[in-house]
Amino acid sequence: MEKQKEHPEQQIQIPLAELIKIRWGKVKELLSKNINPYPYRFERTHLIQQALDKFDEYAKEETVLRLAGRIMLKRKMGKSFFADIRDSSDRIQIYIKLDTVGKEHFDLFNTLDLGDIIGCQGTLFVTKTGEKTLRVSEFQLLTKTIHPLPDKHAGLTDKEQRYRRRYADLIVNPEVREVFIKRTEIIQTIRNFLNEQGFLEVETPILQPIYGGGMALPFKTHYNKLNRDMYLRIADELYLKRLIVGGFDKVWEYCKDFRNEGIDRLHNPEFSMIELYWAYADYKDMAALFEKLLRDVVYHLHGTYKIPYGEYEIDFEPPFKWITMLDSVKEKTGIDFSPLSFDEAKREAKKIDVASDDLINKGKVIEAVWEAHVEPNLIQPTFVADFPVEISPLAKKHRDNDALTERFELFIATMEMGNAFSELNDPIDQLKRFLQQGKAIEAGDKEAQPLDDDFITALSYGMPPTAGLGFGIERLVMLLTNQHTIRDVLFFPQMKEMGDGSVPVSKILAEMIEETSKDEQ
RNA sequence: GGGGGUGUAGCUCAGUGGUAGAGCACCUGCCUUUUAAGCAGGGAGUCGAAGGUUCGAUACCUUCCACCCUCACCA
């Protein structure tokens, strides 16, 4: 304490800086011995898993293997070391003996830290205690780690740190990898399925002059050269339908979408959807296809149709339940909203404790009642069909009822897992719906959709009858991997800016570099 | 946005109105088939940030920040 007062330029002591300084000292020591702490390549012959798979054979034939990985544990036993190294496939113990590697390399190994990445050459054997081990004849430091790893057995448990420093999370909590590997498998299976069904994978703009295709607030940005505001897309719908107009019959896109809304267990501002559009089909065809797709993905991933999700067991064996929105509301509340006027609907909603004062039309009232009384009960896969026209501005009116649209949403474990319609292809009707949305915007509905003139133009060229579907990838991955927060299925979830108090590693390093250059002068 | 909780060493966590603790990690020494290796010694802290109460605050109070849980709302 006294010293610090005498030397204010020393400022705050950061213990991390001490640890980094020691390691950087090792780097400089290596450089002075002409050893590159960051060499360029290492000729690897096997993944660790491959070595373990054929362990007996390799051990017996004394096959020389070259493995590489990160040092996770290190045990010194006098004139020998044991260490555990891990690569992307598995972990293995290595054995380093003074007599075998020589004093120079033995001393080098002595300076290595947990986290350092090395390449080793050697043969396989089993230790006295029965552990499969690589007897190292030579090794090379491949990357010096200057930041210490989290605790070697407790790992990194602080969720905030795990999300902010996903790399550290992945290093010490390898089981995290599994969810993300499954995420990729899920997307791959869907891609294969859609390709086999003849859907063409396409790409459409993320940066858009006007946003649309969903109910959401967009991110706004500015394009300097054109001096105009642009939006990050909230959905792909309107562009994909333009492609149907252009003559593609089956198109789909893996879409990154952006919505300027809150962050919580189910929402991240940047997320992924898959949207597909299918000409000459209607929403029932799409429901059948979606069911088939999900069945395929679930079976591919789990080898069964029944999967656990939290306390539930979800059964993906088709056919899924199909119920209309109004019937489901009637079933749960006893109220038939279909013949009611807007005001009557509001009164009925109030009776069952659904706040509807701010709602601007009957469709919104029905939706609110449905969300309060039906949605929370939808555990097993259920198609909810035929939404009110006011809340479905891009869907075709129901062939039997003008107040409704041919639309379904799929619900599983109370989560919305997909949204589809018989697409509205009548340009006059579509324009009217946009104009209605315009009124909703004026009435304060921030999520209502703006008029897209070019989309109306496209529809006026004629879009064949078309079914469209969109579904959120994160939700699906959560469901199929039994994860309950979206942040656990995103490598880098959006986080708020960190509060004061933490010193970035770059600052610690910059100060060290400066000190060193002072010393050299 | 409401309610509840958390924030102390690089990591995992104790703790207290009166000099800041442990394990792991790190440094030194011993140990040539170990197993979260062991043994001996050592260094390391703006106790999330700011303000207040107090002779004295990491602890008590206020405000703020981040994260977690929960309710409401949008995918």
Side-chain angles (χ1 to χ4, degrees):
Chain A
M1 275 311 252
E2 289 303 311
K3 270 185 186 171
Q4 276 183 33
K5 276 174 191 166
E6 285 168 27
H7 304 282
E9 71 274 12
Q10 280 190 349
Q11 288 186 339
I12 310 154
Q13 290 290 321
I14 303 157
L16 175 60
E18 292 305 310
L19 296 171
I20 288 178
K21 208 168 189 173
I22 290 165
R23 294 191 181 204
W24 198 42
K26 291 176 178 178
V27 168
K28 286 189 279 193
E29 180 72 19
L30 289 166
L31 289 170
S32 76
K33 290 177 180 166
N34 270 326
I35 298 170
N36 184 354
Y38 303 101
Y40 293 87
R41 72 188 299 273
F42 179 76
E43 193 75 39
R44 209 162 34 155
T45 61
H46 294 73
L47 288 173
I48 290 171
Q49 192 179 49
Q50 292 169 335
L52 292 172
D53 282 349
K54 296 175 103 173
F55 183 90
D56 293 341
E57 183 189 326
Y58 291 151
K60 192 178 166 197
E61 293 173 2
E62 296 188 349
T63 308
V64 175
L65 308 179
R66 290 169 66 81
L67 307 177
R70 192 186 288 274
I71 299 173
M72 302 307 293
L73 292 171
K74 191 180 160 195
R75 300 177 283 279
K76 192 176 183 185
M77 267 297 293
K79 302 288 186 290
S80 67
F81 280 103
F82 289 92
D84 289 9
I85 64 167
R86 202 176 66 213
D87 69 9
S88 63
S89 70
D90 212 332
R91 62 153 285 281
I92 193 169
Q93 174 170 273
I94 61 172
Y95 179 53
I96 310 250
K97 205 160 62 147
L98 173 63
D99 299 346
T100 315
V101 299
K103 182 163 191 329
E104 212 168 296
H105 272 77
F106 188 80
D107 290 344
L108 169 61
F109 197 87
N110 193 32
T111 70
L112 295 184
D113 293 292
L114 299 189
D116 287 353
I117 297 167
I118 58 170
C120 311
Q121 177 171 310
T123 52
L124 297 172
F125 77 108
V126 179
T127 62
K128 275 182 189 169
T129 50
E131 173 123 12
K132 293 172 179 172
T133 304
L134 181 77
R135 188 197 321 269
V136 175
S137 54
E138 39 186 277
F139 73 91
Q140 186 187 1
L141 173 63
L142 299 178
T143 299
K144 184 65 195 165
T145 306
I146 58 172
H147 193 295
L149 246 41
D151 189 275
K152 70 185 183 188
H153 25 274
L156 187 64
T157 62
D158 181 68
K159 285 194 176 181
E160 181 177 353
Q161 284 305 311
R162 294 179 56 189
Y163 297 139
R164 288 191 191 276
R165 299 191 178 179
R166 183 65 90 179
Y167 37 87
D169 184 30
L170 287 163
I171 290 169
V172 297
N173 299 319
E175 66 281 359
V176 172
R177 301 160 54 93
E178 296 308 314
V179 170
F180 290 96
I181 291 168
K182 283 180 183 168
R183 179 183 167 124
T184 299
E185 280 176 15
I186 289 165
I187 294 164
Q188 203 57 250
T189 308
I190 294 170
R191 177 168 277 124
N192 291 341
F193 177 89
L194 291 173
N195 285 345
E196 278 166 24
Q197 297 287 324
F199 283 82
L200 183 72
E201 182 171 7
V202 298
E203 292 175 86
T204 63
I206 294 170
L207 193 60
Q208 304 181 345
I210 189 163
Y211 63 97
M215 303 283 204
L217 281 171
F219 281 95
K220 195 174 180 179
T221 183
H222 190 79
Y223 188 179
N224 294 335
K225 285 288 177 189
L226 296 185
N227 190 25
R228 66 164 302 169
D229 288 337
M230 303 284 282
Y231 301 92
L232 299 186
R233 74 177 168 206
I234 60 167
D236 289 33
E237 175 146 358
L238 303 185
Y239 280 96
L240 291 174
K241 285 192 210 171
R242 284 171 169 92
L243 296 181
I244 298 289
V245 170
F248 289 103
D249 285 343
K250 291 178 168 181
V251 292
W252 74 282
E253 183 166 10
Y254 177 80
C255 0
K256 288 287 181 189
D257 293 334
F258 306 83
R259 297 192 180 178
N260 206 337
E261 289 162 357
I263 297 174
D264 65 24
R265 198 173 71 77
L266 292 173
H267 301 270
N268 192 69
E270 174 179 355
F271 66 106
S272 305
M273 280 213 294
I274 283 178
E275 290 195 27
L276 48 142
Y277 291 84
W278 180 9
Y280 308 108
D282 68 10
Y283 75 140
K284 294 206 172 173
D285 296 318
M286 190 59 93
L289 183 76
F290 194 23
E291 213 173 69
K292 206 172 155 196
L293 181 151
L294 288 175
R295 184 191 62 186
D296 224 58
V297 172
V298 170
Y299 197 82
H300 183 267
L301 202 69
H302 287 96
T304 167
Y305 295 121
K306 289 190 171 69
I307 65 164
Y309 188 72
E311 57 187 297
Y312 307 122
E313 184 182 63
I314 309 293
D315 187 355
F316 282 87
E317 185 79 61
F320 301 163
K321 192 179 174 191
W322 176 281
I323 188 165
T324 71
M325 182 176 270
L326 284 167
D327 284 350
S328 67
V329 167
K330 195 172 160 186
E331 192 179 283
K332 284 286 170 196
T333 67
I335 303 166
D336 183 3
F337 278 87
S338 49
L340 303 183
S341 70
F342 177 33
D343 287 333
E344 287 167 343
K346 269 185 164 178
R347 275 200 294 277
E348 289 298 322
K350 207 160 196 173
K351 281 185 199 166
I352 50 174
D353 295 325
V354 175
S356 57
D357 290 348
D358 297 336
L359 302 179
I360 55 174
N361 56 51
K362 182 182 162 189
K364 292 247 176 199
V365 175
I366 294 169
E367 185 184 32
V369 171
W370 178 86
E371 279 172 357
H373 286 89
V374 181
E375 188 180 17
N377 303 311
L378 298 174
I379 308 302
Q380 295 303 324
T382 305
F383 289 114
V384 177
D386 301 346
F387 285 48
V389 66
E390 305 95 308
I391 59 169
S392 311
L394 299 167
K396 210 165 184 168
K397 278 180 185 160
H398 196 283
R399 61 195 78 182
D400 301 324
N401 185 340
D402 261 5
L404 304 177
T405 55
E406 295 201 353
R407 172 181 179 186
F408 70 76
E409 289 189 347
L410 176 65
F411 285 84
I412 305 174
T414 76
M415 291 191 290
E416 185 204 319
M417 299 302 301
N419 183 18
F421 354 113
S422 296
E423 300 294 341
L424 178 52
N425 62 343
D426 172 350
I428 307 293
D429 193 0
Q430 183 65 77
L431 178 58
K432 286 182 187 164
R433 306 281 193 93
F434 272 132
L435 295 175
Q436 269 173 6
Q437 289 289 301
K439 282 179 196 160
I441 293 174
E442 282 168 25
D445 186 349
K446 286 180 185 157
E447 292 174 354
Q449 303 192 42
L451 170 59
D452 187 331
D453 293 309
D454 182 70
F455 180 64
I456 297 294
T457 305
L459 286 189
S460 72
Y461 278 83
M463 181 173 83
T466 297
L469 165 69
F471 56 97
I473 292 302
E474 283 77 19
R475 297 268 170 98
L476 183 62
V477 174
M478 283 168 66
L479 185 68
L480 299 188
T481 59
N482 203 3
Q483 298 298 315
H484 294 76
T485 53
I486 197 167
R487 284 179 163 177
D488 288 329
V489 299
L490 292 166
F491 272 129
F492 303 104
Q494 189 59 236
M495 302 291 282
K496 290 184 195 162
E497 207 174 344
M498 274 195 287
D500 293 336
S502 72
V503 179
V505 172
S506 58
K507 196 176 173 192
I508 295 171
L509 294 176
E511 275 173 22
M512 284 181 197
I513 292 166
E514 201 169 317
E515 271 174 41
T516 306
S517 64
K518 267 185 206 161
D519 292 348
E520 281 168 358
Q521 274 167 12

